[in-house]
Short mmCIF file of all heavy atoms in Angstrom, two decimals:
data_model
loop_
_atom_site.label_atom_id
_atom_site.label_comp_id
_atom_site.label_asym_id
_atom_site.label_seq_id
_atom_site.Cartn_x
_atom_site.Cartn_y
_atom_site.Cartn_z
N GLU Y 2 151.17 70.54 190.98
CA GLU Y 2 151.81 69.24 191.26
C GLU Y 2 152.97 68.86 190.26
O GLU Y 2 153.44 67.87 190.46
CB GLU Y 2 150.81 68.16 191.33
CG GLU Y 2 149.77 68.32 192.46
CD GLU Y 2 148.69 67.26 192.45
OE1 GLU Y 2 148.46 66.65 191.47
OE2 GLU Y 2 148.06 66.95 193.46
N GLY Y 3 153.20 69.77 189.40
CA GLY Y 3 154.34 69.51 188.46
C GLY Y 3 153.95 68.63 187.30
O GLY Y 3 154.92 68.10 186.55
N VAL Y 4 152.74 68.33 187.02
CA VAL Y 4 152.26 67.40 186.06
C VAL Y 4 151.68 68.46 184.92
O VAL Y 4 150.80 69.32 185.08
CB VAL Y 4 151.15 66.38 186.41
CG1 VAL Y 4 150.69 65.62 185.24
CG2 VAL Y 4 151.75 65.53 187.54
N ASP Y 5 152.30 68.16 183.73
CA ASP Y 5 151.71 69.08 182.60
C ASP Y 5 150.51 68.60 181.92
O ASP Y 5 150.41 67.95 180.90
CB ASP Y 5 152.88 69.13 181.50
CG ASP Y 5 152.61 70.10 180.42
OD1 ASP Y 5 151.71 70.96 180.56
OD2 ASP Y 5 153.29 70.06 179.30
N TYR Y 6 149.36 68.89 182.66
CA TYR Y 6 148.04 68.53 182.16
C TYR Y 6 147.59 69.26 180.93
O TYR Y 6 147.05 68.63 180.03
CB TYR Y 6 146.99 68.69 183.27
CG TYR Y 6 147.08 67.80 184.48
CD1 TYR Y 6 147.59 68.39 185.64
CD2 TYR Y 6 147.06 66.54 184.58
CE1 TYR Y 6 147.75 67.67 186.83
CE2 TYR Y 6 147.24 65.69 185.59
CZ TYR Y 6 147.64 66.39 186.75
OH TYR Y 6 147.90 65.62 187.98
N ASN Y 7 148.08 70.46 180.82
CA ASN Y 7 147.72 71.19 179.51
C ASN Y 7 148.51 70.71 178.42
O ASN Y 7 147.94 70.58 177.35
CB ASN Y 7 148.15 72.75 179.76
CG ASN Y 7 147.23 73.44 180.73
OD1 ASN Y 7 146.03 72.99 180.79
ND2 ASN Y 7 147.80 74.55 181.31
N GLY Y 8 149.75 70.25 178.70
CA GLY Y 8 150.45 69.55 177.49
C GLY Y 8 149.73 68.20 177.12
O GLY Y 8 149.81 68.00 175.99
N MET Y 9 149.31 67.50 178.10
CA MET Y 9 148.62 66.30 177.65
C MET Y 9 147.38 66.58 176.85
O MET Y 9 147.09 65.89 175.77
CB MET Y 9 148.23 65.57 178.97
CG MET Y 9 149.30 65.02 179.80
SD MET Y 9 148.65 64.12 181.28
CE MET Y 9 150.22 63.63 182.12
N MET Y 10 146.58 67.59 177.26
CA MET Y 10 145.49 67.97 176.43
C MET Y 10 145.80 68.38 175.11
O MET Y 10 145.11 68.05 174.17
CB MET Y 10 144.67 69.08 177.33
CG MET Y 10 143.39 69.33 176.57
SD MET Y 10 142.18 67.95 176.70
CE MET Y 10 141.75 67.93 178.35
N LYS Y 11 146.86 69.26 174.99
CA LYS Y 11 147.23 69.77 173.69
C LYS Y 11 147.77 68.61 172.75
O LYS Y 11 147.36 68.58 171.63
CB LYS Y 11 148.46 70.68 173.96
CG LYS Y 11 148.99 71.30 172.65
CD LYS Y 11 150.21 72.21 172.77
CE LYS Y 11 150.58 72.80 171.47
NZ LYS Y 11 151.77 73.73 171.73
N PHE Y 12 148.39 67.51 173.35
CA PHE Y 12 148.76 66.34 172.63
C PHE Y 12 147.58 65.64 172.02
O PHE Y 12 147.50 65.13 170.94
CB PHE Y 12 149.60 65.46 173.40
CG PHE Y 12 149.97 64.18 172.67
CD1 PHE Y 12 150.96 64.14 171.79
CD2 PHE Y 12 149.22 63.01 172.96
CE1 PHE Y 12 151.12 62.93 171.17
CE2 PHE Y 12 149.37 61.77 172.37
CZ PHE Y 12 150.38 61.74 171.40
N ASN Y 13 146.54 65.59 172.96
CA ASN Y 13 145.25 64.90 172.53
C ASN Y 13 144.57 65.49 171.27
O ASN Y 13 144.02 64.83 170.53
CB ASN Y 13 144.24 64.85 173.66
CG ASN Y 13 144.70 63.80 174.76
OD1 ASN Y 13 145.39 62.81 174.38
ND2 ASN Y 13 144.19 64.11 175.99
N PHE Y 14 144.83 66.85 171.23
CA PHE Y 14 144.21 67.63 170.08
C PHE Y 14 145.08 67.55 168.82
O PHE Y 14 144.61 67.48 167.68
CB PHE Y 14 144.01 69.11 170.46
CG PHE Y 14 142.83 69.37 171.17
CD1 PHE Y 14 142.85 69.66 172.52
CD2 PHE Y 14 141.62 69.28 170.61
CE1 PHE Y 14 141.72 69.92 173.32
CE2 PHE Y 14 140.39 69.57 171.32
CZ PHE Y 14 140.49 69.87 172.66
N THR Y 15 146.40 67.34 168.96
CA THR Y 15 147.38 67.58 167.81
C THR Y 15 147.76 66.20 167.34
O THR Y 15 148.24 66.03 166.25
CB THR Y 15 148.59 68.36 168.22
OG1 THR Y 15 149.27 67.74 169.28
CG2 THR Y 15 148.23 69.74 168.55
N ALA Y 16 147.64 65.10 168.02
CA ALA Y 16 148.05 63.78 167.67
C ALA Y 16 146.92 62.78 167.69
O ALA Y 16 147.15 61.66 168.10
CB ALA Y 16 149.21 63.35 168.62
N VAL Y 17 145.80 63.08 167.16
CA VAL Y 17 144.62 62.30 167.09
C VAL Y 17 144.88 61.00 166.45
O VAL Y 17 144.39 59.97 166.76
CB VAL Y 17 143.41 63.10 166.54
CG1 VAL Y 17 142.20 62.11 166.37
CG2 VAL Y 17 142.95 64.30 167.39
N ASP Y 18 145.53 61.09 165.31
CA ASP Y 18 145.81 59.93 164.46
C ASP Y 18 146.70 58.89 165.15
O ASP Y 18 146.57 57.70 164.85
CB ASP Y 18 146.41 60.30 163.04
CG ASP Y 18 145.31 61.09 162.23
OD1 ASP Y 18 144.21 60.97 162.42
OD2 ASP Y 18 145.82 61.80 161.31
N ASP Y 19 147.57 59.42 166.01
CA ASP Y 19 148.54 58.55 166.68
C ASP Y 19 147.99 57.90 167.91
O ASP Y 19 148.58 56.98 168.43
CB ASP Y 19 149.93 59.21 166.93
CG ASP Y 19 150.57 59.57 165.67
OD1 ASP Y 19 150.38 58.76 164.59
OD2 ASP Y 19 151.16 60.73 165.56
N SER Y 20 147.11 58.68 168.55
CA SER Y 20 146.59 58.16 169.86
C SER Y 20 145.95 56.87 169.81
O SER Y 20 145.20 56.57 168.93
CB SER Y 20 145.62 59.21 170.36
OG SER Y 20 145.10 58.87 171.65
N PRO Y 21 146.18 55.94 170.73
CA PRO Y 21 145.42 54.57 170.88
C PRO Y 21 144.10 54.79 171.37
O PRO Y 21 143.43 53.81 171.37
CB PRO Y 21 146.38 53.88 171.88
CG PRO Y 21 146.97 54.97 172.77
CD PRO Y 21 147.16 56.06 171.82
N VAL Y 22 143.63 55.91 171.85
CA VAL Y 22 142.33 56.10 172.24
C VAL Y 22 141.59 57.10 171.21
O VAL Y 22 142.08 58.14 170.98
CB VAL Y 22 142.27 56.70 173.63
CG1 VAL Y 22 140.93 56.89 174.13
CG2 VAL Y 22 142.98 55.82 174.65
N ARG Y 23 140.43 56.68 170.79
CA ARG Y 23 139.69 57.46 169.92
C ARG Y 23 139.05 58.59 170.74
O ARG Y 23 138.18 58.37 171.59
CB ARG Y 23 138.52 56.63 169.14
CG ARG Y 23 137.79 57.42 168.22
CD ARG Y 23 136.91 56.45 167.38
NE ARG Y 23 136.01 57.22 166.51
CZ ARG Y 23 134.84 57.73 166.88
NH1 ARG Y 23 134.31 57.49 168.07
NH2 ARG Y 23 134.12 58.45 165.97
N LEU Y 24 139.33 59.80 170.22
CA LEU Y 24 138.85 60.99 170.96
C LEU Y 24 137.62 61.63 170.23
O LEU Y 24 137.77 61.67 168.95
CB LEU Y 24 139.97 61.93 171.16
CG LEU Y 24 141.13 61.55 171.95
CD1 LEU Y 24 142.27 62.72 172.01
CD2 LEU Y 24 140.60 61.36 173.41
N THR Y 25 136.78 62.03 170.82
CA THR Y 25 135.53 62.71 170.22
C THR Y 25 135.22 63.99 170.98
O THR Y 25 135.82 64.21 172.25
CB THR Y 25 134.26 61.84 170.34
OG1 THR Y 25 133.94 61.64 171.65
CG2 THR Y 25 134.51 60.48 169.59
N ASN Y 26 134.49 64.85 170.49
CA ASN Y 26 134.15 66.15 171.11
C ASN Y 26 133.45 65.79 172.59
O ASN Y 26 133.80 66.50 173.53
CB ASN Y 26 133.10 66.97 170.39
CG ASN Y 26 133.80 67.57 169.08
OD1 ASN Y 26 135.02 67.70 169.09
ND2 ASN Y 26 132.99 67.87 168.10
N SER Y 27 132.60 64.77 172.59
CA SER Y 27 131.88 64.39 173.86
C SER Y 27 132.98 63.96 174.84
O SER Y 27 132.86 64.20 176.11
CB SER Y 27 130.83 63.48 173.62
OG SER Y 27 131.19 62.33 173.01
N ARG Y 28 133.84 63.11 174.40
CA ARG Y 28 134.87 62.55 175.28
C ARG Y 28 135.79 63.65 175.90
O ARG Y 28 136.14 63.69 176.98
CB ARG Y 28 135.62 61.52 174.59
CG ARG Y 28 134.96 60.16 174.43
CD ARG Y 28 135.81 59.08 173.85
NE ARG Y 28 135.01 57.82 173.70
CZ ARG Y 28 135.67 56.76 173.22
NH1 ARG Y 28 136.90 56.74 172.87
NH2 ARG Y 28 134.85 55.61 173.14
#
């Protein structure tokens, strides 16, 4: 569909400190 979901996931891993959502392994 032309949406970079992999890029979004990569950002979640690399920008944890900047993300407004606290990410955990379970999430």
Side-chain angles (χ1 to χ4, degrees):
E2 295 178 339
V4 180
D5 187 9
Y6 297 113
N7 288 332
M9 292 180 184
M10 186 65 70
K11 182 178 179 181
F12 174 80
N13 286 332
F14 278 108
T15 59
V17 174
D18 293 338
D19 297 325
S20 176
V22 178
R23 181 174 176 269
L24 294 173
T25 62
N26 289 339
S27 58
R28 286 183 176 181

